[in-house]
Amino acid sequence: MINHRCFLALTFLLFTFTTKAQVSSTIDSTSIKIGEQITYHIQVEADTTDLVVFPEGQTFTPLEMIESYDIDTLKKTSKSDKYSLIKKYGLTQFDSGKYTIPRQKIIIGDKTFFTDSLKVEVNNVVIDTTQGLYDIKPIIAVDKKGSDWWKYLLLTLLIIGAVAFLLYWFIWRKKPLTEEEEIALLPPYDRAKLALQKLDERPYLENENLKDYYSELTFIIRKYLDEKVYDHALESTTDELITRLNLLKEGNQVDLSNEDIKNLESILKRADLVKFAKSAPDIELAKIDRNTIDIEIDHVKEALPEPTEEEKLLDEKYREEQERKKKRKKIWLTVGISIFLLLATLTGLSVKYGFDYVKDTIIGHDSKELLEGDWVTSEYGFPPVTISTPEVLKRTAVPLPEELKGKMDITTFSFEQKNKLTIVISTTVLAQKLDSLDIGKAIEGNLKVIENNGGRNIITKNEKFVTPNGAEGIKTFGSLEYPIENTENFINGKYTSLSFTAENKVMQQIIITWRQNDVYADQMVERILNSVELKPAEE
């Protein structure tokens, strides 16, 4: 297939009614050194209606074409309908000797013309014996281009650090206590005394709000009794509470005097009248009741027996158990939040990139690492095959039978990811040009090699293949089963083969096999096929 740019470079369409043409060829030098370039000129004089097609490709054998230049177009005269077309080629040869550039075919309109053959002498480079000889320089290791893994690591560490800081700040950090929390940590006696002080600071008495005043006053004493004497003091009625205090006194559990109990009973009943019967005692009496409660709190404290060592030990164990519970709660909360954030992150990434991709990124996948690694674009063989691969292909020696030696030259380069991906590039150059090269037989030979190596159930499809820069070939692809090395098991796989011919002398083939249901291998193969070029793209 000739692409658009090549078409412009190879043809020139003019308009007239007759065809008259002259063709000539020249070279800028008949003697060159090995590897030196000469310029081959073809000049055509044609009318304006003539379609001119110049030779393209390796048609100058035994010399090699290394560059094809754009066509220069000159009009003979301003009144003339004739044009002079000049096409230039850069040629070279890497072996010394005398060579003949063969006649080149030029198509003008519906007629064919041939240039004259030209002789070229290629000379060896004269060695300067006055200079010393030096050993070949050793191979120098080239540092592999660094990846951006550190950026992802840094981002991961920053995220982990941010989450850890938030967990510490909101869960593990010892937060400053609020006033209510500080009060709650005080012993019951000190808390009751402090509550009385705060009651004095409130404007209940100034506003004659005796109901709220007595409600808070009796709550203070009831709360203290609930914590230190009777654990149902808060919800008990006044009669029930006084009855309980008398029973505790009689049982020598609380050393309260009868007067203390009567004082408490009197204040509690007066508070009940204020709260429920809308009684309104004098303000001074309310102050006296407050002072009485203050005194009774002291008496209750004095009446309580000192805690035994066993009780102190139980209290200490209770506090330690509470601390352990609080710590366990923090641990479970931290684990729960961490698991939630991890699952949320994985879910989000799975929605965006797919679950398998996220799983393979975390666990690891050989094909994914190859796909996302640093690929290599290089040329293999001669004529060169330009291709991008996950790693550099290595030259593989192919032994030739004795009867084929001297008749052809085979160069092979390959890469193998064991039982997963195989890439082979093979270039066969015949010593003599044939009338035609049968791609079909070459493809059949490849399939036969696969069968001989244990492949089975091979399904084959063929279609035309065109490289990005316009080289045409045959693509053979399909599925197969190939054996796992050193086992009797088989793997479901795929294969693709590209086959190209040039000048009935050169056969170039690219063969790729890979494991089925490997999405990363599918992407690699597509990337490899899209990179194949058999010659530099025309400018």
Side-chain angles (χ1 to χ4, degrees):
M1 176 180 177
I2 301 176
N3 63 23
H4 181 60
R5 292 184 177 179
C6 290
F7 181 78
L8 291 178
L10 296 177
T11 67
F12 194 89
L13 186 59
L14 304 170
F15 299 93
T16 143
F17 294 97
T18 60
T19 301
K20 295 181 180 178
Q22 293 182 351
V23 177
S24 63
S25 62
T26 60
I27 52 176
D28 60 357
S29 177
T30 58
S31 178
I32 61 172
K33 295 178 181 178
I34 291 176
E36 187 177 353
Q37 179 177 317
I38 61 173
T39 304
Y40 183 93
H41 299 74
I42 298 177
Q43 184 170 346
V44 175
E45 290 185 7
D47 292 338
T48 54
T49 58
D50 294 334
L51 176 65
V52 180
V53 179
F54 289 96
E56 198 64 54
Q58 298 294 343
T59 63
F60 302 92
T61 307
L63 270 69
E64 299 171 13
M65 186 191 77
I66 58 177
E67 189 167 3
S68 175
Y69 300 96
D70 293 337
I71 298 171
D72 293 329
T73 306
L74 299 174
K75 194 170 184 179
K76 298 293 289 183
T77 64
S78 60
K79 297 181 180 180
S80 173
D81 290 334
K82 290 185 177 294
Y83 284 80
S84 178
L85 309 179
I86 302 174
K87 175 71 174 175
K88 299 179 182 179
Y89 303 89
L91 309 178
T92 191
Q93 174 56 254
F94 295 96
D95 289 325
S96 61
K98 294 181 179 180
Y99 299 93
T100 299
I101 301 175
R103 300 166 65 199
Q104 299 297 310
K105 181 171 69 174
I106 314 296
I107 300 174
I108 304 174
D110 57 356
K111 294 186 178 182
T112 301
F113 298 84
F114 288 91
T115 64
D116 294 331
S117 60
L118 300 173
K119 294 187 179 297
V120 178
E121 184 176 359
V122 181
N123 301 306
N124 284 317
V125 178
V126 179
I127 300 175
D128 185 0
T129 57
T130 62
Q131 299 292 329
L133 298 178
Y134 301 93
D135 291 335
I136 298 174
K137 291 185 177 180
I139 297 174
I140 300 175
V142 178
D143 293 335
K144 187 176 181 180
K145 180 182 177 182
S147 63
D148 293 335
W149 64 269
W150 63 272
K151 294 181 181 179
Y152 298 105
L153 177 61
L154 180 60
L155 179 61
T156 302
L157 292 177
L158 288 175
I159 294 173
I160 293 174
V163 172
F165 173 77
L166 292 174
L167 290 174
Y168 163 77
W169 185 262
F170 290 104
I171 297 177
W172 291 94
R173 178 175 64 97
K174 191 174 182 180
K175 305 175 185 67
L177 298 177
T178 63
E179 183 179 1
E180 290 76 9
E181 290 173 334
E182 289 179 349
I183 293 174
L185 293 176
L186 294 174
Y189 173 80
D190 294 334
R191 198 182 318 126
K193 289 289 188 177
L194 182 60
L196 287 176
Q197 294 177 16
K198 289 188 175 295
L199 177 62
D200 294 338
E201 296 172 0
R202 292 184 172 87
Y204 293 142
L205 297 182
E206 289 84 343
N207 297 332
E208 297 185 355
N209 186 359
L210 294 174
K211 181 178 179 180
D212 289 342
Y213 183 83
Y214 271 99
S215 293
E216 192 166 331
L217 178 65
T218 53
F219 177 80
I220 292 171
I221 186 60
R222 281 176 176 272
K223 178 69 175 175
Y224 181 61
L225 292 173
D226 186 86
E227 292 179 324
K228 301 300 295 182
V229 180
Y230 174 49
D231 58 1
H232 293 291
L234 283 173
E235 61 265 26
S236 298
T237 64
T238 298
D239 291 337
E240 290 173 345
L241 178 58
I242 296 303
T243 300
R244 173 60 63 176
L245 291 177
N246 284 319
L247 290 174
L248 291 173
K249 178 180 181 305
E250 292 173 2
N252 295 322
Q253 296 182 31
V254 178
D255 190 16
L256 281 175
S257 65
N258 292 328
E259 184 180 357
D260 291 329
I261 295 175
K262 286 182 179 179
N263 288 338
L264 291 174
E265 182 180 10
S266 175
I267 294 172
L268 291 173
K269 287 185 175 181
R270 189 163 27 255
D272 290 340
L273 292 174
V274 172
K275 290 186 289 183
F276 304 114
K278 297 183 179 180
S279 175
D282 187 71
I283 298 297
E284 293 301 321
L285 179 59
K287 292 180 179 179
I288 293 172
D289 288 340
R290 182 265 179 218
N291 293 330
T292 302
I293 290 296
D294 191 6
I295 294 171
E296 294 305 329
I297 289 173
D298 293 335
H299 288 173
V300 170
K301 180 184 178 183
E302 294 169 359
L304 293 172
E306 288 293 326
T308 63
E309 290 299 323
E310 184 178 354
E311 290 174 335
K312 290 180 180 179
L313 183 61
L314 289 174
D315 287 343
E316 182 66 25
K317 288 182 178 180
Y318 174 78
R319 284 193 296 270
E320 290 177 355
E321 181 62 26
Q322 291 301 110
E323 287 296 325
R324 283 194 293 269
K325 287 182 178 180
K326 190 181 295 184
K327 187 175 181 180
R328 283 197 297 269
K329 182 179 179 181
K330 289 182 178 181
I331 292 173
W332 282 112
L333 190 59
T334 301
V335 171
I337 293 175
S338 300
I339 292 175
F340 170 77
L341 291 175
L342 178 61
L343 292 176
T345 301
L346 293 177
T347 301
L349 292 174
S350 298
V351 170
K352 184 173 182 180
Y353 299 105
F355 174 75
D356 290 336
Y357 181 86
V358 175
K359 178 195 68 176
D360 294 336
T361 300
I362 296 173
I363 299 177
H365 194 287
D366 293 343
S367 297
K368 181 176 180 293
E369 292 173 5
L370 275 181
L371 175 63
E372 297 178 351
D374 295 328
W375 281 46
V376 178
T377 300
S378 187
E379 295 181 350
Y380 299 93
F382 188 85
V385 175
T386 303
I387 192 170
S388 295
T389 53
E391 294 187 10
V392 176
L393 306 186
K394 296 181 179 180
R395 182 185 288 271
T396 305
V398 178
L400 283 175
E402 288 296 329
E403 62 271 17
L404 295 180
K405 290 182 179 179
K407 296 181 179 180
M408 65 176 61
D409 181 40
I410 300 177
T411 56
T412 304
F413 299 86
S414 64
F415 162 78
E416 181 179 5
Q417 182 191 21
K418 190 173 182 181
N419 294 326
K420 293 184 178 180
L421 175 69
T422 301
I423 305 169
V424 178
I425 297 178
S426 175
T427 301
T428 302
V429 180
L430 302 178
Q432 294 183 353
K433 185 186 298 187
L434 301 178
D435 293 336
S436 65
L437 280 178
D438 193 338
I439 292 183
K441 289 185 178 180
I443 294 171
E444 290 178 4
N446 291 337
L447 297 177
K448 196 66 178 176
V449 170
I450 293 175
E451 288 182 351
N452 292 338
N453 288 328
R456 66 184 188 184
N457 297 331
I458 302 174
I459 298 175
T460 301
K461 298 178 184 178
N462 290 322
E463 65 180 29
K464 184 178 179 181
F465 183 85
V466 182
T467 66
N469 65 339
E472 293 184 1
I474 299 296
K475 178 182 178 182
T476 305
F477 61 99
S479 61
L480 77 163
E481 294 178 358
Y482 58 91
I484 301 176
E485 188 176 348
N486 299 324
T487 70
E488 296 181 356
N489 300 322
F490 283 78
I491 297 173
N492 292 326
K494 298 179 182 179
Y495 73 94
T496 290
S497 171
L498 301 182
S499 303
F500 305 90
T501 61
E503 298 303 318
N504 293 330
K505 186 178 180 180
V506 178
M507 174 76 73
Q508 294 166 296
Q509 292 183 298
I510 302 168
I511 304 172
I512 308 172
T513 60
W514 69 100
R515 186 189 291 259
Q516 207 170 44
N517 300 323
D518 187 340
V519 294
Y520 308 111
D522 292 340
Q523 295 176 43
M524 281 192 285
V525 173
E526 182 178 0
R527 182 172 173 181
I528 291 169
L529 296 180
N530 290 335
S531 72
V532 174
E533 292 186 1
L534 300 189
K535 59 182 177 181
E538 297 287 351
E539 295 295 334

